[in-house]
Amino acid sequence: MLSGLEVLQWLIGGCGALLVAGAAYWKQSLSLSGMLAAVLMGTIYFGAGNLFWFGILLVFFISSSLLSKLHHENKAELEATYDKTGRRDAGQVFANGGLGMLMVLLNAVYPLEMWSFLFIGVMATVTSDTWATEIGTLAKRPPRSVLTGKVLQAGTSGGVSLPGTLAAAAGGALIGAASWGLRLGTGMASHPLVLLVSAGLLGGLAGAFADSVLGATVQRMNRCTVCGREVEASSHCGKPTVFARGWRWMDNDAVNAVSSITGGAVALLVSYIG
Ligand SMILES: [Zn+2]
């Protein structure tokens, strides 16, 4: 049975999640399905976790939503080549926060410090990745292939740029710093600030790097039958796209999952060294 305090915690989580997800829906950052998924996810982060887990989700979500509002003349066109639009749907919400939610649940059932560090690395990766994409597409100089160094068209999977990499580092470091503050505020086992910032920074960079390498090699890419562009999306120019290259099952969600696990593993490694 849940105690009165636990019921209260789930209720607070549900209200907090509804408030944030509702505002995001209102601001057109989330679709209706995305809003429902975000309410469910936020409730679990707070109810089964606490303000540490929920707060990190908020730092990722709010910072990414704000960055995606930065506009550039080419950005709308670029977004069409990605497997996403301005509004995130339920699939994208789970792709970004699903692994983190698994860590929250594992920690609730079997509490270990390990879950916290895996969580920091996973959330640092999704934050770094989003920041790198948003800032990278604003950069004036075109990206280069992470494998060959060849200049690529802006927005191509597997491309990296200096502004994008700096944004990835900053996003990861912010997750680490926020972890330190939130753990202090919730009275959880504390770790030195420099250790948590290192875990977020290195985990985020490793995850974002894995994302680029997968994008340049085995990520499934499709071709638009109308304009001929190579895209991640399953439809383009209003028509379904056809398979072009990569492993058929390695779609954007699979790439996100492998990258996040990489980031989590690196953050955990940092905790053992630190
Ligand atoms: Zn097209």
Side-chain angles (χ1 to χ4, degrees):
M1 277 295 284
L2 290 174
S3 72
L5 252 163
E6 282 167 329
V7 172
L8 188 66
Q9 190 178 342
W10 281 94
L11 280 176
I12 292 170
C15 291
L18 189 63
L19 211 68
V20 177
Y25 176 71
W26 183 253
K27 286 276 171 200
Q28 310 215 326
S29 294
L30 290 173
S31 71
L32 184 62
S33 79
M35 183 190 83
L36 295 174
V39 170
L40 175 74
M41 191 171 281
T43 305
I44 291 174
Y45 270 68
F46 195 87
N50 61 23
L51 192 57
F52 160 62
W53 311 86
F54 186 72
I56 293 298
L57 181 68
L58 280 188
V59 170
F60 156 70
F61 184 73
I62 292 173
S63 69
S64 301
S65 300
L66 289 177
L67 278 180
S68 75
K69 296 290 178 203
L70 295 174
H71 276 295
H72 184 266
E73 63 232 50
N74 290 329
K75 211 164 162 195
E77 187 199 342
L78 282 170
E79 269 171 357
T81 71
Y82 290 117
D83 204 355
K84 58 179 157 193
T85 57
R87 286 199 141 181
R88 286 158 203 268
D89 61 21
Q92 286 156 349
V93 168
F94 282 113
N96 285 318
L99 259 176
M101 188 170 71
L102 182 66
M103 298 306 140
V104 175
L105 292 171
L106 284 168
N107 188 69
V109 176
Y110 198 72
L112 287 174
E113 275 302 276
M114 183 178 93
W115 307 126
S116 287
F117 280 94
L118 284 170
F119 177 74
I120 289 169
V122 164
M123 297 310 286
T125 297
V126 294
T127 306
S128 293
D129 225 20
T130 310
W131 284 35
T133 304
E134 298 294 351
I135 298 297
T137 52
L138 289 172
K140 290 206 167 61
R141 292 161 67 119
R144 287 171 179 277
S145 163
V146 67
L147 291 184
T148 65
K150 268 197 337 203
V151 172
L152 298 174
Q153 201 187 347
T156 311
S157 291
V160 291
S161 66
L162 184 61
T165 305
L166 291 176
L174 176 67
I175 291 294
S179 301
W180 180 80
L182 287 162
R183 291 178 73 87
L184 210 65
T186 50
M188 293 171 80
S190 63
H191 300 284
L193 176 63
V194 62
L195 176 69
L196 292 179
V197 169
S198 305
L201 177 84
L202 297 174
L205 274 179
F209 182 70
D211 190 276
S212 293
V213 170
L214 291 170
T217 53
V218 296
Q219 180 171 0
R220 179 191 175 131
M221 296 301 290
N222 300 320
R223 191 167 296 287
C224 175
T225 55
V226 179
C227 70
R229 271 244 209 97
E230 202 172 74
V231 297
E232 292 174 8
S234 53
S235 72
H236 201 249
C237 298
K239 292 263 192 234
T241 52
V242 294
F243 174 76
R245 68 176 168 92
W247 294 343
R248 283 176 187 273
W249 58 271
M250 190 59 95
D251 60 8
N252 204 35
D253 292 344
V255 167
N256 278 339
V258 175
S259 309
S260 295
I261 291 166
T262 306
V266 167
L268 185 61
L269 204 67
V270 169
S271 80
Y272 289 139
I273 296 168

